[in-house]
Amino acid sequence: MGHGQSSRFVDPNPAIRRELVELLYTSLPQVMSINAAAITGSVTLAVLHRDPGYIAITFAIIVNAIGRVVSLLRYKQRSARLSDRDVVLWEKVYAAGATAFGLALGALTFRAFQLNDAPGAWIAFGLSMSYCVGMVSRAAIRPWVVLTTTAVLFAPTLVAGLMRPELPYQRGAAMLVLFWFSIREASRHLSTAFIERLEAKHALARQANHDFLTGLPNRAAFLAALERTTGSVAIIAIDLDGFKPVNDRHGHHAGDELLRQVATRLSDCVGSGGLAARFGGDEFMLLKPVADGAEGRDESMALAREAVRTLSMPFLLSDIPMVIGASAGLLVNERPLTDDTVDEVLRRVDEALYAAKRAGGGRCSWADADTAQLRQAG
């Protein structure tokens, strides 16, 4: 297994990791089941033997069981608002809870061996194996969680078996090590298959929502983002001036490279808070939240002018400097959008864009939000 592949088990890309952690936290029924079994078994041993060790371990199992259920419920309540960094933290929280629970079950087995309690050892080891199988079935998508938890789960039993003078116990302890390695391979295999499936799904989604040439969101992705907007947003249509002569004179390869460079400049221009999309050909769209009222209009015009200015700077194509230009039409939308109003907004922005081009290009034109009349903004 190559280094690149193995590294994905720990750090897949953030979108996929979010889905994997989401799956970890959908295991409430399984967690409740093993909690009930573990509490029942440990309480039974504590009541029958009244051993301080059993009692302490039972208390630890109960506390940990409650903590795991609480964490599962809290994640469900907060998952929609979590950042990528938060998701990583919650994955570690899940691992910590699973590992602590495994340690408590392992300690229960160790104590049964110490007391030479054969029925207790049978109950405790049965709980451990049930928990192990459950971990592999629901958490193999994150192998490091499974491997850490099962290592801590088996360690007390391994030590207890090696401490016994009987050969079968010692061999049984050694077999746990082999079993752990089989779990390791099974988890890695399942995780690889699952991550590859998610990667394929994300790749298909990206192809459906991104322009193949520039990597920018496409028309469908832009429209979806526009319909989700709330508050005031600047909507700016941009068309390149002088693109066709470059394409005709230097070929489609040069034209494609020029479009890729345009996409990079527009992405930098709109920044992380906005969206740059390619609508097709040499037409692009920008979308960015702005303040309400006159301040928002000033922000929108500043963005449009910056986009036109940056696209008027020379481009380097095969060491040959190329100069084109751009025109922009813009408006600020302050109302919720529906399918019908989205079409109307885009039509008005498009009209404003071509008013700028008819005026000679290299300009920005407003589409007035109230009268739908265009006025030149320079």
Side-chain angles (χ1 to χ4, degrees):
M1 182 177 296
H3 172 74
Q5 185 182 44
S6 63
S7 66
R8 293 184 307 163
F9 297 127
V10 179
D11 297 311
N13 78 58
I16 290 178
R17 187 170 194 164
R18 182 179 292 269
E19 289 197 46
L20 296 175
V21 174
E22 191 79 30
L23 287 171
L24 289 178
Y25 279 92
T26 59
S27 58
L28 183 60
Q30 297 96 318
V31 170
M32 292 292 291
S33 178
I34 189 61
N35 283 352
I39 291 172
T40 300
S42 60
V43 167
T44 298
L45 295 179
V47 170
L48 289 175
H49 294 273
R50 301 186 183 278
D51 172 64
Y54 277 154
I55 293 172
I57 294 168
T58 299
F59 179 77
I61 288 174
I62 293 172
V63 170
N64 191 265
I66 294 171
R68 295 189 72 206
V69 171
V70 170
S71 71
L72 291 176
L73 295 175
R74 290 185 68 184
Y75 181 87
K76 186 176 180 180
Q77 294 170 350
R78 302 180 180 188
S79 60
R81 304 187 301 273
L82 297 179
S83 67
D84 291 339
R85 181 176 294 182
D86 293 333
V87 169
V88 174
L89 176 61
W90 277 95
E91 180 180 337
K92 293 177 180 177
V93 168
Y94 183 93
T99 301
F101 195 80
L103 179 61
L105 291 181
L108 193 68
T109 306
F110 182 88
R111 186 59 179 167
F113 274 56
Q114 270 191 326
L115 298 175
N116 204 26
D117 176 14
W122 174 253
I123 291 173
F125 190 67
L127 289 173
S128 294
M129 295 307 295
S130 298
Y131 183 58
C132 175
V133 171
M135 282 298 298
V136 173
S137 66
R138 67 178 176 267
I141 51 175
R142 302 304 289 138
W144 77 272
V145 176
V146 174
L147 298 181
T148 303
T149 300
T150 52
V152 170
L153 173 68
F154 291 153
T157 305
L158 174 67
V159 172
L162 293 176
M163 290 173 62
R164 301 282 299 197
E166 301 91 340
L167 184 61
Y169 282 101
Q170 296 175 4
R171 288 188 175 179
M175 288 172 65
L176 280 180
V177 176
L178 298 177
F179 184 54
W180 185 85
F181 277 103
S182 69
I183 291 173
R184 177 178 180 269
E185 291 309 307
S187 298
R188 289 182 179 275
H189 175 74
L190 291 171
S191 179
T192 298
F194 202 84
I195 289 177
E196 287 176 351
R197 180 180 174 186
L198 286 179
E199 287 174 342
K201 185 185 80 169
H202 281 250
L204 287 174
R206 180 172 179 82
Q207 289 174 14
N209 292 288
H210 284 75
D211 175 58
F212 177 77
L213 176 64
T214 63
L216 291 181
N218 60 16
R219 183 186 183 95
F222 181 87
L223 294 178
L226 182 58
E227 290 176 357
R228 293 194 302 267
T229 57
T230 57
S232 298
V233 290
I235 304 169
I236 304 171
I238 295 174
D239 192 78
L240 303 183
D241 301 329
F243 173 74
K244 189 175 184 300
V246 173
N247 217 28
D248 293 342
R249 186 177 304 119
H250 299 280
H252 291 292
H253 178 75
D256 289 348
E257 176 58 27
L258 178 58
L259 290 174
R260 283 191 284 266
Q261 292 188 31
V262 166
T264 299
R265 292 191 186 186
L266 289 178
S267 295
D268 293 341
C269 185
V270 78
S272 59
L275 174 72
R278 185 188 179 201
F279 256 40
D282 59 348
E283 185 175 351
F284 297 81
M285 296 289 292
L286 304 182
L287 181 68
K288 188 167 188 177
V290 294
D292 295 332
E295 183 181 352
R297 291 177 66 85
D298 291 342
E299 291 178 25
S300 303
M301 178 53 72
L303 176 59
R305 285 175 171 162
E306 175 61 19
V308 169
R309 185 198 67 79
T310 194
L311 295 181
S312 70
M313 303 297 290
F315 293 86
L316 199 62
L317 303 177
S318 300
D319 296 326
I320 302 173
M322 299 284 177
V323 178
I324 58 171
S327 302
L330 69 153
L331 65 75
V332 175
N333 182 74
E334 298 177 342
R335 295 186 292 271
L337 292 169
T338 64
D339 290 343
D340 293 336
T341 54
V342 164
D343 291 339
E344 174 64 16
V345 163
L346 293 180
R347 181 187 63 77
R348 289 168 47 211
V349 171
D350 201 50
E351 289 177 353
L353 168 63
Y354 284 98
K357 292 186 77 70
R358 286 194 301 270
R363 300 167 183 262
C364 306
S365 286
W366 279 107
D368 192 280
D370 297 320
T371 65
Q373 299 296 315
L374 303 176
R375 68 176 184 271
Q376 189 67 27

